Amino acid sequence: MITLFSFQFAYAQVALVCLVAIFIGMSKTGVHGAGMLAVPLLATIFGGQHSSGVLLPILVLADVMGTWYYHRHASWEHLKLLFPWAALGVVVGTVIGSYIDDKVFRIIMATVIVGSVIVMLWLERGHKEAVPHNKAFGITTGVLGGFTSMVGNLAGTVMAVYFLSMRLPKNTFIGTTAWFFMVTNWFKVPFHVFAWHTITWNTFLLDLLTLPFILLGAVAGVWIVKKLSEKAYRWFIISMTLVAAVVMLLR
């Protein structure tokens, strides 16, 4: 066992936290799906709601890296539509999350994860053209994105479906996604601190220790996007995410 800022960890759990940071870094520089795998892995250590607060500062740190690298590639036309509705979704998620226990919280997270995987599989089978791309869909996506982002940091697939439907080029897709999550995640911080009390000084210090692993994941993500096909990796992420979701649900 090892003690870090009032937390007692087995060595395997420390390694898992570092792996989560690597996955988050990769997800912010274009390796989609890695972030979703990180969520249930961290929940197995900290529980559902508390893990969302532990993960948020890691996401914020990674968002800065992703936005810095892709800051010139963003569609502000789409972001201006999404931001106010995402803020509403965050508020709704905060209220609902305040009235449910951790078991229900984990069930919601697992359900969102499994649903996201189903959507990912549907998209993989060539149905991207079937996704609508109108204003009403953007508003709905904004609310769902804010809600799922607050309740478990699980908005990745929701937003991916929307941005894919907008037919954005690869770099614009990554840059727009990076800006959306950086703004949304910063907006969520006060709710975690003052409403849910899931971000504390100790959790923040713990998250700072993961910074080298976030950077490692970010560099790896850039390399993968540039050099390798993501298809096999996406199938690996889909499979492992399903396994992690089941473990989280049954734990």
Side-chain angles (χ1 to χ4, degrees), residues 66-82:
T67 306
W68 172 79
Y69 191 81
Y70 290 102
H71 68 279
R72 292 171 296 176
H73 307 282
S75 173
W76 289 100
E77 176 186 356
H78 296 102
L79 290 172
K80 288 176 183 178
L81 171 64
L82 291 168

Side-chain angles (χ1 to χ4, degrees), residues 12-237:
Q13 291 176 318
V14 174
L16 200 59
V17 171
C18 295
L19 183 61
V20 164
I22 291 172
F23 282 149
I24 293 300
M26 294 172 71
S27 72
K28 296 302 180 180
T29 51
V31 184
H32 306 295
M36 192 167 63
L37 175 56
V39 171
L41 291 178
L42 202 62
T44 61
I45 302 175
F46 295 100
Q49 189 179 51
H50 193 65
S51 69
S52 66
V54 174
L55 183 59
L56 184 56
I58 297 176
L59 291 169
V60 168
L61 292 170
D63 284 328
V64 173
M65 297 178 190
T67 306
W68 172 79
Y69 191 81
Y70 290 102
H71 68 279
R72 292 171 296 176
H73 307 282
S75 173
W76 289 100
E77 176 186 356
H78 296 102
L79 290 172
K80 288 176 183 178
L81 171 64
L82 291 168
F83 282 145
W85 299 105
L88 175 61
V90 168
V91 173
V92 172
T94 302
V95 173
I96 292 177
S98 299
Y99 290 97
I100 57 179
D101 60 23
D102 194 68
K103 181 179 180 180
V104 175
F105 203 96
R106 291 200 313 273
I107 291 173
I108 292 174
M109 290 172 70
T111 302
V112 172
I113 290 170
V114 173
S116 297
V117 170
I118 292 171
V119 173
M120 290 167 67
L121 289 170
W122 181 72
L123 292 173
E124 287 288 334
R125 293 180 64 84
H127 294 93
K128 294 178 183 179
E129 297 296 324
V131 180
H133 50 278
N134 52 46
K135 186 175 181 179
F137 182 57
I139 292 171
T140 303
T141 301
V143 175
L144 285 175
F147 178 83
T148 54
S149 182
M150 187 67 195
V151 184
N153 299 301
L154 288 166
T157 300
V158 174
M159 302 315 301
V161 170
Y162 175 74
F163 290 133
L164 283 170
S165 75
M166 298 299 106
R167 320 300 194 254
L168 299 179
K170 182 177 74 171
N171 283 348
T172 304
F173 176 95
I174 297 171
T176 307
T177 302
W179 274 105
F180 175 84
F181 282 111
M182 187 176 78
V183 173
T184 302
N185 285 334
W186 276 103
F187 180 74
K188 286 157 46 182
V189 169
F191 295 95
H192 275 277
V193 173
F194 300 111
W196 286 0
H197 309 290
T198 50
I199 295 179
T200 65
W201 183 243
N202 285 331
T203 61
F204 178 68
L205 291 175
L206 177 66
D207 290 331
L208 281 181
L209 290 181
T210 69
L211 190 56
F213 299 97
I214 298 172
L215 181 59
L216 175 62
V219 172
V222 170
W223 185 83
I224 288 172
V225 169
K226 282 185 174 180
K227 302 292 184 181
L228 299 178
S229 168
E230 288 189 71
K231 185 173 182 180
Y233 185 83
R234 285 200 305 271
W235 281 107
F236 169 76
I237 290 295

